[in-house]
Amino acid sequence: MLTIYHVTTTRGMRVIWLCEELGLDYHVEKIDFSKEFRATPEWRALNPVGKVPVMKDGDMVMFESGAMVQYILAKYGAGRLAPAVNDPQFAQHLQWMWFGEATLSRPLGEIVNHRREFPGEQEIPAMIEEMKDRIEACLQALADHTQDRSYLLGEAFTAADIMVGYALMLVEMLAPERMPAELAPYWERLQSRAAYQTAKAV
Ligand SMILES: N[C@@H](CCC(=O)N[C@@H](CS)C(=O)NCC(=O)O)C(=O)O
């Protein structure tokens, strides 16, 4: 049984969304997201940089949401939601998986962290705008790519859509004005999935 240490609408959502899509059993432990709790030795023993999520599978403990998604696909996916290594789309799948975290979620996370550490009048608007420009470049790339396909790899929904879909939820929370209209059909397709809605509510 997988245990996911989670806070609502944080990156553990990707893992929950994937488990829901695959019909896997999992258990969610909600944790205290305060800086104080995340600094405790107890939490640092699970996540050495004090972030969420953390996932356990028996004695195995891991942090990094994208790695959790890859672990679950490899161990419990039974070939579902990702192309096999010898499939021509294997590389594209990895690319969009990591684009979702390393390129699109990064400036989104910087906005969240900046606002937490420098609230109200301490906020530096130019910094926020710069991050939003980076986000917009990613969104335009996604809009262009999804014009002639239902999902990132074509007509089949894959885990790459989960990695990117989580980031699009953050865009809606943090920079909705930067979402290109042409990206809306793809984003609506993701939001209409029951597994997405369940994961968002946990
Ligand atoms: N690359 C990591 C990023 C983890 C991360 O930034 N988590 C956020 C919540 S979604 C967090 O714990 N932020 C608190 C902080 O950075 O202080 C992953 O994908 O798991």
Side-chain angles (χ1 to χ4, degrees):
M1 164 83 86
L2 297 167
T3 301
I4 304 152
Y5 294 78
H6 178 57
V7 175
T8 304
T9 71
T10 61
R11 284 167 172 79
M13 218 185 114
R14 287 174 169 146
V15 186
I16 297 169
W17 185 355
L18 179 64
C19 288
E20 287 286 331
E21 295 278 1
L22 291 173
L24 300 177
D25 281 341
Y26 63 94
H27 167 70
V28 174
E29 282 284 334
K30 298 299 277 291
I31 70 136
D32 172 3
F33 197 47
S34 70
K35 220 172 166 175
E36 292 70 31
F37 174 74
R38 290 185 291 111
T40 58
E42 174 198 355
W43 184 249
R44 293 287 164 127
L46 299 177
N47 188 320
V49 287
K51 291 176 181 275
V52 292
V54 163
M55 185 178 82
K56 282 188 189 171
D57 185 13
D59 293 338
M60 189 285 300
V61 183
M62 69 192 296
F63 53 91
E64 284 298 335
S65 64
M68 294 171 201
V69 167
Q70 285 196 295
Y71 172 90
I72 292 170
L73 288 171
K75 200 157 178 191
Y76 303 113
R80 294 170 293 164
L81 299 190
V85 180
N86 52 2
D87 186 302
Q89 286 202 298
F90 180 71
Q92 291 294 306
H93 186 253
L94 286 181
Q95 170 194 278
W96 288 115
M97 288 264 292
W98 290 100
F99 173 86
E101 176 59 17
T103 309
L104 175 54
S105 294
R106 185 174 170 195
L108 288 158
E110 293 307 331
I111 293 176
V112 175
N113 293 337
H114 179 73
R115 287 191 170 144
R116 189 191 307 116
E117 299 301 322
F118 303 93
E121 288 186 359
Q122 294 179 61
E123 182 176 308
I124 303 168
M127 182 271 182
I128 303 288
E129 287 308 301
E130 218 280 302
M131 290 302 131
K132 287 188 176 183
D133 290 346
R134 290 168 189 261
I135 293 161
E136 191 173 316
C138 294
L139 297 177
Q140 196 53 58
L142 284 171
D144 293 345
H145 184 73
T146 53
Q147 281 322 283
D148 54 357
R149 32 176 91 72
S150 298
Y151 297 105
L152 291 169
L153 293 197
E155 295 317 300
F157 174 85
T158 65
D161 297 297
I162 293 178
M163 290 296 292
V164 166
Y166 171 74
L168 292 179
M169 187 201 70
L170 290 182
V171 170
E172 197 166 77
M173 291 163 74
L174 299 167
E177 75 284 3
R178 300 297 187 109
M179 185 88 83
E182 322 88 82
L183 189 55
Y186 171 66
W187 175 221
E188 279 161 20
R189 223 167 275 135
L190 296 185
Q191 290 177 91
S192 70
R193 299 185 76 84
Y196 167 84
Q197 289 160 20
T198 301
K200 192 180 177 192
V202 176

